[in-house]
Amino acid sequence: MTDRQYQYIGGDWAEGKSSDEIVVRDPATPDDPAVSFPGASQQQARDAVAAAAAASEEWNRSTPEERDAVLYELADLIEANQDSLAETLTTEEGKPISSSRGEVGRAAEIFRFFASYSRTATGDTVPSSDPETFTYTVRQPLGVVALITPWNFPIATPSWKLATALSTGNAVIFKPSSETPMIAKHLVELLEEAGLPDGVVNLVTGSGSTVGDEITTHDAVNGVSFTGSTETGQYISETVASRGIPMQAEMGGKNPLVVLPDADIGAAADAAIAGAFGGTGQACTATSRLIVHEDVAAELTDAVVERAEALSIGPGMEDPDMGPAVSAEELETNFDYIEIAKQEGATLLTGGGRPEGMETGYYVEPTVFADVESEMRIAQEEVFGPVLGILEFSEFDEGIDIANDVAFGLSSAIHTEDMAAARKFTREIEAGVVKINGTTTGSQIQMPFGGMKASSTETHKEMGQHAYDFYTHEKVVYRSDP
Ligand code: NAP
């Protein structure tokens, strides 16, 4: 019998008790479900919060050695299980197996990097105005935090939240996407094997609409870290705001790549292709708008179309350039936006349909539109698929205005040899990430990550040296010895 125990509460695995059946499909062969199990009930979500609250005091007070021992052990276990984790990831998310292996390897690196936080997430000693008073700050864990994650980087995103929360001494309720529960379960099994005390991490696998409010509005939850769509993130932020607890949300994007006439056109085309079609365009930082100076628009457009048409498409396990979309809903959304773009007057240059002979998986061709205008929906709304729109400008200021003319502000890139132009772009672009001669996608663990505008609550960055800010209270202490 297949394993249907996807809830991990207080150190025990259990079946979900709601009437929702979570059905996980391999996007390359969706006809036969990969796994199916009942989702968590609202009561189980409350039980998970209670288990975290019960375990939190001891974990809050654990020593740095105790915490980093678990996280270093977990990193080793992730590496030892890299193949099976990668296969699970590709099975439920669809991405090419080499990308899955890379993401799993990154998860191990993330746990190692943040394990060191156990010993280094310090306060400051501050010069005192009074020689008899010692002034310093201390950082303490929030207590219990809820972590809610999407499906597109289903081991990396939970890893950077879990690693930061645990290393700073917090207990956790982890709610993964219903599209990718298998990799979440596997990760939590490894945490258990690494020696994490019971109740410190609790896995609640159920639909957001059933369990979401239970874990975000519960009095015992002291902080919520969310990654996902802007719509869900804004809803949760509003719910959590009324409780006055820390909330962090990293959300959608509509990321521009701006190309100036002096740019290396081949490199810009490579960056556009990697950013638009890597991960089937399903990255929050995906390039969805290629904003190009009119003098080089024709040359760059030809280079992009030629590269897009050369991409291989297929099941993730065959390691193509591009796998399927994650689900039937995402596939349908892609085709809906392709139709909308045509109706709005954009010119379809390549793609736009299913690849020939690939009728069963959730496949869509890499799609490029020219003659896109900034007010079109294809230039404003997040498609979250392999659809790239090309927009043209004649003056640099106009190019920056177009890049900023969206609600989102996550990632951005500029291609130019003119570093004064790059500085101007860095200053004026409304985006949390700026890449100069790079892709809009990709990030380094030791660099902070987060967006602006509708892409983020802008409360605290994730990753990087100060990601612990979100997971800790900072107290200021004035000590006058008797
Ligand atoms: P989503 O639909 O917003 O779901 C994200 C998570 O929220 C899932 O675990 C979902 O659970 C849960 N959820 C849904 N409703 C909820 C509620 N009422 N209360 C609590 N949780 C709830 O996003 P997605 O489709 O998984 O991911 C794609 C989106 O994520 C894109 O917009 C992308 O840009 C964004 N993203 C942003 C970043 C970033 O760092 N900025 C990174 C990756 C992805 P269910 O699966 O059960 O519905």
PDB file of all heavy atoms in Angstrom, residues 68-103:
ATOM      1  N   ASP A  68      23.345  23.477  15.516  1.00  0.00           N
ATOM      2  CA  ASP A  68      24.106  23.314  14.262  1.00  0.00           C
ATOM      3  C   ASP A  68      24.438  21.844  13.999  1.00  0.00           C
ATOM      4  O   ASP A  68      24.564  21.429  12.850  1.00  0.00           O
ATOM      5  CB  ASP A  68      25.292  24.278  14.154  1.00  0.00           C
ATOM      6  CG  ASP A  68      26.523  23.927  14.960  1.00  0.00           C
ATOM      7  OD1 ASP A  68      26.641  22.777  15.383  1.00  0.00           O
ATOM      8  OD2 ASP A  68      27.377  24.821  15.159  1.00  0.00           O
ATOM      9  N   ALA A  69      24.490  21.021  15.070  1.00  0.00           N
ATOM     10  CA  ALA A  69      24.739  19.590  14.843  1.00  0.00           C
ATOM     11  C   ALA A  69      23.632  18.994  13.968  1.00  0.00           C
ATOM     12  O   ALA A  69      23.896  18.229  13.028  1.00  0.00           O
ATOM     13  CB  ALA A  69      24.819  18.844  16.173  1.00  0.00           C
ATOM     14  N   VAL A  70      22.383  19.365  14.257  1.00  0.00           N
ATOM     15  CA  VAL A  70      21.252  18.839  13.470  1.00  0.00           C
ATOM     16  C   VAL A  70      21.346  19.331  12.024  1.00  0.00           C
ATOM     17  O   VAL A  70      21.168  18.563  11.063  1.00  0.00           O
ATOM     18  CB  VAL A  70      19.903  19.271  14.088  1.00  0.00           C
ATOM     19  CG1 VAL A  70      18.749  18.889  13.170  1.00  0.00           C
ATOM     20  CG2 VAL A  70      19.720  18.656  15.466  1.00  0.00           C
ATOM     21  N   LEU A  71      21.649  20.609  11.865  1.00  0.00           N
ATOM     22  CA  LEU A  71      21.616  21.177  10.508  1.00  0.00           C
ATOM     23  C   LEU A  71      22.780  20.669   9.648  1.00  0.00           C
ATOM     24  O   LEU A  71      22.610  20.409   8.453  1.00  0.00           O
ATOM     25  CB  LEU A  71      21.594  22.710  10.571  1.00  0.00           C
ATOM     26  CG  LEU A  71      20.356  23.281  11.284  1.00  0.00           C
ATOM     27  CD1 LEU A  71      20.400  24.810  11.295  1.00  0.00           C
ATOM     28  CD2 LEU A  71      19.057  22.820  10.646  1.00  0.00           C
ATOM     29  N   TYR A  72      23.964  20.511  10.258  1.00  0.00           N
ATOM     30  CA  TYR A  72      25.085  19.943   9.489  1.00  0.00           C
ATOM     31  C   TYR A  72      24.788  18.489   9.119  1.00  0.00           C
ATOM     32  O   TYR A  72      25.071  18.042   8.004  1.00  0.00           O
ATOM     33  CB  TYR A  72      26.399  20.038  10.276  1.00  0.00           C
ATOM     34  CG  TYR A  72      27.005  21.430  10.278  1.00  0.00           C
ATOM     35  CD1 TYR A  72      27.296  22.087  11.464  1.00  0.00           C
ATOM     36  CD2 TYR A  72      27.288  22.097   9.084  1.00  0.00           C
ATOM     37  CE1 TYR A  72      27.850  23.368  11.470  1.00  0.00           C
ATOM     38  CE2 TYR A  72      27.840  23.381   9.084  1.00  0.00           C
ATOM     39  CZ  TYR A  72      28.113  24.010  10.280  1.00  0.00           C
ATOM     40  OH  TYR A  72      28.653  25.272  10.273  1.00  0.00           O
ATOM     41  N   GLU A  73      24.205  17.756  10.063  1.00  0.00           N
ATOM     42  CA  GLU A  73      23.860  16.347   9.782  1.00  0.00           C
ATOM     43  C   GLU A  73      22.824  16.294   8.646  1.00  0.00           C
ATOM     44  O   GLU A  73      22.914  15.462   7.743  1.00  0.00           O
ATOM     45  CB  GLU A  73      23.304  15.702  11.063  1.00  0.00           C
ATOM     46  CG  GLU A  73      22.818  14.257  10.917  1.00  0.00           C
ATOM     47  CD  GLU A  73      23.921  13.268  10.552  1.00  0.00           C
ATOM     48  OE1 GLU A  73      25.110  13.593  10.742  1.00  0.00           O
ATOM     49  OE2 GLU A  73      23.572  12.177  10.049  1.00  0.00           O
ATOM     50  N   LEU A  74      21.863  17.192   8.704  1.00  0.00           N
ATOM     51  CA  LEU A  74      20.844  17.229   7.652  1.00  0.00           C
ATOM     52  C   LEU A  74      21.488  17.497   6.286  1.00  0.00           C
ATOM     53  O   LEU A  74      21.142  16.840   5.293  1.00  0.00           O
ATOM     54  CB  LEU A  74      19.801  18.308   7.962  1.00  0.00           C
ATOM     55  CG  LEU A  74      18.744  18.516   6.883  1.00  0.00           C
ATOM     56  CD1 LEU A  74      17.915  17.260   6.658  1.00  0.00           C
ATOM     57  CD2 LEU A  74      17.829  19.688   7.243  1.00  0.00           C
ATOM     58  N   ALA A  75      22.428  18.437   6.242  1.00  0.00           N
ATOM     59  CA  ALA A  75      23.093  18.738   4.965  1.00  0.00           C
ATOM     60  C   ALA A  75      23.768  17.476   4.414  1.00  0.00           C
ATOM     61  O   ALA A  75      23.670  17.177   3.209  1.00  0.00           O
ATOM     62  CB  ALA A  75      24.117  19.857   5.163  1.00  0.00           C
ATOM     63  N   ASP A  76      24.419  16.728   5.304  1.00  0.00           N
ATOM     64  CA  ASP A  76      25.074  15.482   4.856  1.00  0.00           C
ATOM     65  C   ASP A  76      24.036  14.487   4.340  1.00  0.00           C
ATOM     66  O   ASP A  76      24.250  13.811   3.321  1.00  0.00           O
ATOM     67  CB  ASP A  76      25.856  14.836   6.014  1.00  0.00           C
ATOM     68  CG  ASP A  76      27.088  15.663   6.399  1.00  0.00           C
ATOM     69  OD1 ASP A  76      27.466  16.560   5.621  1.00  0.00           O
ATOM     70  OD2 ASP A  76      27.649  15.397   7.479  1.00  0.00           O
ATOM     71  N   LEU A  77      22.914  14.387   5.046  1.00  0.00           N
ATOM     72  CA  LEU A  77      21.872  13.435   4.636  1.00  0.00           C
ATOM     73  C   LEU A  77      21.262  13.838   3.282  1.00  0.00           C
ATOM     74  O   LEU A  77      20.954  12.986   2.449  1.00  0.00           O
ATOM     75  CB  LEU A  77      20.767  13.369   5.695  1.00  0.00           C
ATOM     76  CG  LEU A  77      21.131  12.610   6.970  1.00  0.00           C
ATOM     77  CD1 LEU A  77      20.080  12.856   8.062  1.00  0.00           C
ATOM     78  CD2 LEU A  77      21.250  11.115   6.683  1.00  0.00           C
ATOM     79  N   ILE A  78      21.087  15.137   3.082  1.00  0.00           N
ATOM     80  CA  ILE A  78      20.547  15.592   1.791  1.00  0.00           C
ATOM     81  C   ILE A  78      21.495  15.176   0.669  1.00  0.00           C
ATOM     82  O   ILE A  78      21.065  14.659  -0.371  1.00  0.00           O
ATOM     83  CB  ILE A  78      20.314  17.120   1.812  1.00  0.00           C
ATOM     84  CG1 ILE A  78      19.130  17.454   2.722  1.00  0.00           C
ATOM     85  CG2 ILE A  78      20.070  17.660   0.402  1.00  0.00           C
ATOM     86  CD1 ILE A  78      18.928  18.943   2.974  1.00  0.00           C
ATOM     87  N   GLU A  79      22.786  15.371   0.902  1.00  0.00           N
ATOM     88  CA  GLU A  79      23.752  14.979  -0.148  1.00  0.00           C
ATOM     89  C   GLU A  79      23.746  13.468  -0.375  1.00  0.00           C
ATOM     90  O   GLU A  79      23.800  13.008  -1.514  1.00  0.00           O
ATOM     91  CB  GLU A  79      25.149  15.456   0.231  1.00  0.00           C
ATOM     92  CG  GLU A  79      25.312  16.922  -0.111  1.00  0.00           C
ATOM     93  CD  GLU A  79      26.612  17.506   0.380  1.00  0.00           C
ATOM     94  OE1 GLU A  79      27.337  16.850   1.146  1.00  0.00           O
ATOM     95  OE2 GLU A  79      26.883  18.656   0.007  1.00  0.00           O
ATOM     96  N   ALA A  80      23.643  12.728   0.719  1.00  0.00           N
ATOM     97  CA  ALA A  80      23.635  11.261   0.581  1.00  0.00           C
ATOM     98  C   ALA A  80      22.391  10.785  -0.177  1.00  0.00           C
ATOM     99  O   ALA A  80      22.407   9.717  -0.793  1.00  0.00           O
ATOM    100  CB  ALA A  80      23.701  10.611   1.961  1.00  0.00           C
ATOM    101  N   ASN A  81      21.314  11.563  -0.095  1.00  0.00           N
ATOM    102  CA  ASN A  81      20.050  11.186  -0.752  1.00  0.00           C
ATOM    103  C   ASN A  81      19.777  12.033  -2.002  1.00  0.00           C
ATOM    104  O   ASN A  81      18.631  12.158  -2.439  1.00  0.00           O
ATOM    105  CB  ASN A  81      18.889  11.361   0.225  1.00  0.00           C
ATOM    106  CG  ASN A  81      18.895  10.311   1.307  1.00  0.00           C
ATOM    107  OD1 ASN A  81      18.377   9.212   1.123  1.00  0.00           O
ATOM    108  ND2 ASN A  81      19.532  10.613   2.431  1.00  0.00           N
ATOM    109  N   GLN A  82      20.833  12.618  -2.565  1.00  0.00           N
ATOM    110  CA  GLN A  82      20.632  13.583  -3.657  1.00  0.00           C
ATOM    111  C   GLN A  82      19.864  12.978  -4.838  1.00  0.00           C
ATOM    112  O   GLN A  82      18.956  13.611  -5.398  1.00  0.00           O
ATOM    113  CB  GLN A  82      21.980  14.118  -4.136  1.00  0.00           C
ATOM    114  CG  GLN A  82      21.844  15.235  -5.166  1.00  0.00           C
ATOM    115  CD  GLN A  82      23.126  16.012  -5.346  1.00  0.00           C
ATOM    116  OE1 GLN A  82      24.187  15.570  -4.923  1.00  0.00           O
ATOM    117  NE2 GLN A  82      23.054  17.160  -5.982  1.00  0.00           N
ATOM    118  N   ASP A  83      20.199  11.737  -5.200  1.00  0.00           N
ATOM    119  CA  ASP A  83      19.549  11.138  -6.371  1.00  0.00           C
ATOM    120  C   ASP A  83      18.056  10.934  -6.137  1.00  0.00           C
ATOM    121  O   ASP A  83      17.228  11.272  -6.987  1.00  0.00           O
ATOM    122  CB  ASP A  83      20.206   9.795  -6.725  1.00  0.00           C
ATOM    123  CG  ASP A  83      21.591  10.012  -7.317  1.00  0.00           C
ATOM    124  OD1 ASP A  83      21.869  11.147  -7.757  1.00  0.00           O
ATOM    125  OD2 ASP A  83      22.387   9.055  -7.319  1.00  0.00           O
ATOM    126  N   SER A  84      17.704  10.362  -4.983  1.00  0.00           N
ATOM    127  CA  SER A  84      16.279  10.072  -4.777  1.00  0.00           C
ATOM    128  C   SER A  84      15.498  11.369  -4.553  1.00  0.00           C
ATOM    129  O   SER A  84      14.350  11.495  -5.019  1.00  0.00           O
ATOM    130  CB  SER A  84      16.069   9.091  -3.624  1.00  0.00           C
ATOM    131  OG  SER A  84      16.501   9.657  -2.419  1.00  0.00           O
ATOM    132  N   LEU A  85      16.093  12.341  -3.887  1.00  0.00           N
ATOM    133  CA  LEU A  85      15.404  13.632  -3.728  1.00  0.00           C
ATOM    134  C   LEU A  85      15.179  14.287  -5.097  1.00  0.00           C
ATOM    135  O   LEU A  85      14.099  14.810  -5.379  1.00  0.00           O
ATOM    136  CB  LEU A  85      16.230  14.565  -2.837  1.00  0.00           C
ATOM    137  CG  LEU A  85      16.193  14.276  -1.325  1.00  0.00           C
ATOM    138  CD1 LEU A  85      17.369  14.952  -0.625  1.00  0.00           C
ATOM    139  CD2 LEU A  85      14.877  14.746  -0.696  1.00  0.00           C
ATOM    140  N   ALA A  86      16.197  14.232  -5.943  1.00  0.00           N
ATOM    141  CA  ALA A  86      16.079  14.861  -7.272  1.00  0.00           C
ATOM    142  C   ALA A  86      15.006  14.159  -8.108  1.00  0.00           C
ATOM    143  O   ALA A  86      14.213  14.811  -8.799  1.00  0.00           O
ATOM    144  CB  ALA A  86      17.425  14.835  -7.988  1.00  0.00           C
ATOM    145  N   GLU A  87      14.955  12.844  -8.011  1.00  0.00           N
ATOM    146  CA  GLU A  87      13.923  12.112  -8.768  1.00  0.00           C
ATOM    147  C   GLU A  87      12.529  12.472  -8.279  1.00  0.00           C
ATOM    148  O   GLU A  87      11.596  12.651  -9.070  1.00  0.00           O
ATOM    149  CB  GLU A  87      14.146  10.599  -8.662  1.00  0.00           C
ATOM    150  CG  GLU A  87      15.183  10.122  -9.650  1.00  0.00           C
ATOM    151  CD  GLU A  87      15.557   8.667  -9.455  1.00  0.00           C
ATOM    152  OE1 GLU A  87      14.724   7.882  -8.989  1.00  0.00           O
ATOM    153  OE2 GLU A  87      16.722   8.325  -9.767  1.00  0.00           O
ATOM    154  N   THR A  88      12.386  12.577  -6.957  1.00  0.00           N
ATOM    155  CA  THR A  88      11.087  12.976  -6.402  1.00  0.00           C
ATOM    156  C   THR A  88      10.701  14.362  -6.912  1.00  0.00           C
ATOM    157  O   THR A  88       9.562  14.605  -7.324  1.00  0.00           O
ATOM    158  CB  THR A  88      11.158  13.006  -4.850  1.00  0.00           C
ATOM    159  OG1 THR A  88      11.537  11.714  -4.398  1.00  0.00           O
ATOM    160  CG2 THR A  88       9.847  13.409  -4.232  1.00  0.00           C
ATOM    161  N   LEU A  89      11.667  15.267  -6.898  1.00  0.00           N
ATOM    162  CA  LEU A  89      11.395  16.644  -7.316  1.00  0.00           C
ATOM    163  C   LEU A  89      10.944  16.685  -8.777  1.00  0.00           C
ATOM    164  O   LEU A  89       9.943  17.315  -9.119  1.00  0.00           O
ATOM    165  CB  LEU A  89      12.671  17.481  -7.096  1.00  0.00           C
ATOM    166  CG  LEU A  89      12.534  18.986  -6.939  1.00  0.00           C
ATOM    167  CD1 LEU A  89      13.823  19.587  -6.412  1.00  0.00           C
ATOM    168  CD2 LEU A  89      12.115  19.679  -8.206  1.00  0.00           C
ATOM    169  N   THR A  90      11.679  15.973  -9.628  1.00  0.00           N
ATOM    170  CA  THR A  90      11.315  15.976 -11.049  1.00  0.00           C
ATOM    171  C   THR A  90       9.967  15.286 -11.263  1.00  0.00           C
ATOM    172  O   THR A  90       9.158  15.725 -12.087  1.00  0.00           O
ATOM    173  CB  THR A  90      12.426  15.295 -11.877  1.00  0.00           C
ATOM    174  OG1 THR A  90      13.564  16.162 -11.871  1.00  0.00           O
ATOM    175  CG2 THR A  90      12.004  15.052 -13.320  1.00  0.00           C
ATOM    176  N   THR A  91       9.703  14.239 -10.491  1.00  0.00           N
ATOM    177  CA  THR A  91       8.433  13.524 -10.654  1.00  0.00           C
ATOM    178  C   THR A  91       7.246  14.432 -10.386  1.00  0.00           C
ATOM    179  O   THR A  91       6.245  14.406 -11.105  1.00  0.00           O
ATOM    180  CB  THR A  91       8.374  12.311  -9.695  1.00  0.00           C
ATOM    181  OG1 THR A  91       9.445  11.441 -10.027  1.00  0.00           O
ATOM    182  CG2 THR A  91       7.047  11.576  -9.794  1.00  0.00           C
ATOM    183  N   GLU A  92       7.322  15.265  -9.337  1.00  0.00           N
ATOM    184  CA  GLU A  92       6.119  16.039  -9.019  1.00  0.00           C
ATOM    185  C   GLU A  92       6.140  17.465  -9.586  1.00  0.00           C
ATOM    186  O   GLU A  92       5.086  18.060  -9.757  1.00  0.00           O
ATOM    187  CB  GLU A  92       5.832  16.060  -7.515  1.00  0.00           C
ATOM    188  CG  GLU A  92       6.902  16.663  -6.657  1.00  0.00           C
ATOM    189  CD  GLU A  92       6.614  16.515  -5.155  1.00  0.00           C
ATOM    190  OE1 GLU A  92       5.545  16.058  -4.757  1.00  0.00           O
ATOM    191  OE2 GLU A  92       7.516  16.895  -4.377  1.00  0.00           O
ATOM    192  N   GLU A  93       7.330  18.006  -9.873  1.00  0.00           N
ATOM    193  CA  GLU A  93       7.388  19.383 -10.374  1.00  0.00           C
ATOM    194  C   GLU A  93       7.664  19.443 -11.864  1.00  0.00           C
ATOM    195  O   GLU A  93       7.264  20.390 -12.527  1.00  0.00           O
ATOM    196  CB  GLU A  93       8.470  20.159  -9.603  1.00  0.00           C
ATOM    197  CG  GLU A  93       8.287  21.668  -9.577  1.00  0.00           C
ATOM    198  CD  GLU A  93       8.895  22.383 -10.764  1.00  0.00           C
ATOM    199  OE1 GLU A  93       9.644  21.759 -11.565  1.00  0.00           O
ATOM    200  OE2 GLU A  93       8.618  23.572 -10.921  1.00  0.00           O
ATOM    201  N   GLY A  94       8.391  18.444 -12.372  1.00  0.00           N
ATOM    202  CA  GLY A  94       8.586  18.352 -13.812  1.00  0.00           C
ATOM    203  C   GLY A  94       9.897  18.891 -14.335  1.00  0.00           C
ATOM    204  O   GLY A  94      10.225  18.717 -15.509  1.00  0.00           O
ATOM    205  N   LYS A  95      10.701  19.566 -13.495  1.00  0.00           N
ATOM    206  CA  LYS A  95      11.891  20.224 -14.061  1.00  0.00           C
ATOM    207  C   LYS A  95      12.945  19.197 -14.459  1.00  0.00           C
ATOM    208  O   LYS A  95      12.938  18.050 -13.947  1.00  0.00           O
ATOM    209  CB  LYS A  95      12.442  21.270 -13.104  1.00  0.00           C
ATOM    210  CG  LYS A  95      13.057  20.785 -11.832  1.00  0.00           C
ATOM    211  CD  LYS A  95      13.604  21.948 -10.995  1.00  0.00           C
ATOM    212  CE  LYS A  95      12.551  22.884 -10.455  1.00  0.00           C
ATOM    213  NZ  LYS A  95      13.037  23.918  -9.553  1.00  0.00           N
ATOM    214  N   PRO A  96      13.848  19.564 -15.376  1.00  0.00           N
ATOM    215  CA  PRO A  96      14.886  18.635 -15.828  1.00  0.00           C
ATOM    216  C   PRO A  96      15.682  18.080 -14.642  1.00  0.00           C
ATOM    217  O   PRO A  96      15.973  18.818 -13.693  1.00  0.00           O
ATOM    218  CB  PRO A  96      15.770  19.496 -16.738  1.00  0.00           C
ATOM    219  CG  PRO A  96      14.858  20.585 -17.220  1.00  0.00           C
ATOM    220  CD  PRO A  96      13.905  20.851 -16.092  1.00  0.00           C
ATOM    221  N   ILE A  97      16.042  16.811 -14.726  1.00  0.00           N
ATOM    222  CA  ILE A  97      16.656  16.127 -13.596  1.00  0.00           C
ATOM    223  C   ILE A  97      17.966  16.805 -13.177  1.00  0.00           C
ATOM    224  O   ILE A  97      18.290  16.861 -11.982  1.00  0.00           O
ATOM    225  CB  ILE A  97      16.838  14.611 -13.891  1.00  0.00           C
ATOM    226  CG1 ILE A  97      17.288  13.853 -12.654  1.00  0.00           C
ATOM    227  CG2 ILE A  97      17.734  14.354 -15.067  1.00  0.00           C
ATOM    228  CD1 ILE A  97      16.239  13.685 -11.582  1.00  0.00           C
ATOM    229  N   SER A  98      18.705  17.369 -14.136  1.00  0.00           N
ATOM    230  CA  SER A  98      19.958  18.032 -13.727  1.00  0.00           C
ATOM    231  C   SER A  98      19.646  19.286 -12.897  1.00  0.00           C
ATOM    232  O   SER A  98      20.372  19.608 -11.957  1.00  0.00           O
ATOM    233  CB  SER A  98      20.829  18.384 -14.940  1.00  0.00           C
ATOM    234  OG  SER A  98      20.107  19.216 -15.803  1.00  0.00           O
ATOM    235  N   SER A  99      18.544  19.975 -13.224  1.00  0.00           N
ATOM    236  CA  SER A  99      18.150  21.145 -12.412  1.00  0.00           C
ATOM    237  C   SER A  99      17.722  20.692 -11.022  1.00  0.00           C
ATOM    238  O   SER A  99      18.015  21.362 -10.022  1.00  0.00           O
ATOM    239  CB  SER A  99      16.978  21.888 -13.051  1.00  0.00           C
ATOM    240  OG  SER A  99      17.291  22.286 -14.344  1.00  0.00           O
ATOM    241  N   SER A 100      17.026  19.554 -10.960  1.00  0.00           N
ATOM    242  CA  SER A 100      16.595  19.043  -9.651  1.00  0.00           C
ATOM    243  C   SER A 100      17.804  18.675  -8.808  1.00  0.00           C
ATOM    244  O   SER A 100      17.856  18.977  -7.616  1.00  0.00           O
ATOM    245  CB  SER A 100      15.686  17.827  -9.816  1.00  0.00           C
ATOM    246  OG  SER A 100      14.490  18.200 -10.448  1.00  0.00           O
ATOM    247  N   ARG A 101      18.780  18.027  -9.438  1.00  0.00           N
ATOM    248  CA  ARG A 101      19.998  17.666  -8.687  1.00  0.00           C
ATOM    249  C   ARG A 101      20.686  18.937  -8.164  1.00  0.00           C
ATOM    250  O   ARG A 101      21.161  18.989  -7.041  1.00  0.00           O
ATOM    251  CB  ARG A 101      20.966  16.876  -9.576  1.00  0.00           C
ATOM    252  CG  ARG A 101      20.547  15.436  -9.806  1.00  0.00           C
ATOM    253  CD  ARG A 101      21.607  14.696 -10.626  1.00  0.00           C
ATOM    254  NE  ARG A 101      22.888  14.657  -9.934  1.00  0.00           N
ATOM    255  CZ  ARG A 101      23.186  13.787  -8.975  1.00  0.00           C
ATOM    256  NH1 ARG A 101      22.312  12.885  -8.617  1.00  0.00           N
ATOM    257  NH2 ARG A 101      24.369  13.818  -8.387  1.00  0.00           N
ATOM    258  N   GLY A 102      20.717  19.953  -9.027  1.00  0.00           N
ATOM    259  CA  GLY A 102      21.329  21.225  -8.617  1.00  0.00           C
ATOM    260  C   GLY A 102      20.573  21.844  -7.442  1.00  0.00           C
ATOM    261  O   GLY A 102      21.182  22.337  -6.486  1.00  0.00           O
ATOM    262  N   GLU A 103      19.242  21.791  -7.516  1.00  0.00           N
ATOM    263  CA  GLU A 103      18.448  22.395  -6.431  1.00  0.00           C
ATOM    264  C   GLU A 103      18.650  21.630  -5.115  1.00  0.00           C
ATOM    265  O   GLU A 103      18.729  22.236  -4.039  1.00  0.00           O
ATOM    266  CB  GLU A 103      16.967  22.434  -6.824  1.00  0.00           C
ATOM    267  CG  GLU A 103      16.154  23.210  -5.807  1.00  0.00           C
ATOM    268  CD  GLU A 103      14.674  23.318  -6.149  1.00  0.00           C
ATOM    269  OE1 GLU A 103      14.301  23.220  -7.335  1.00  0.00           O
ATOM    270  OE2 GLU A 103      13.881  23.481  -5.201  1.00  0.00           O
TER     271      GLU A 103
END
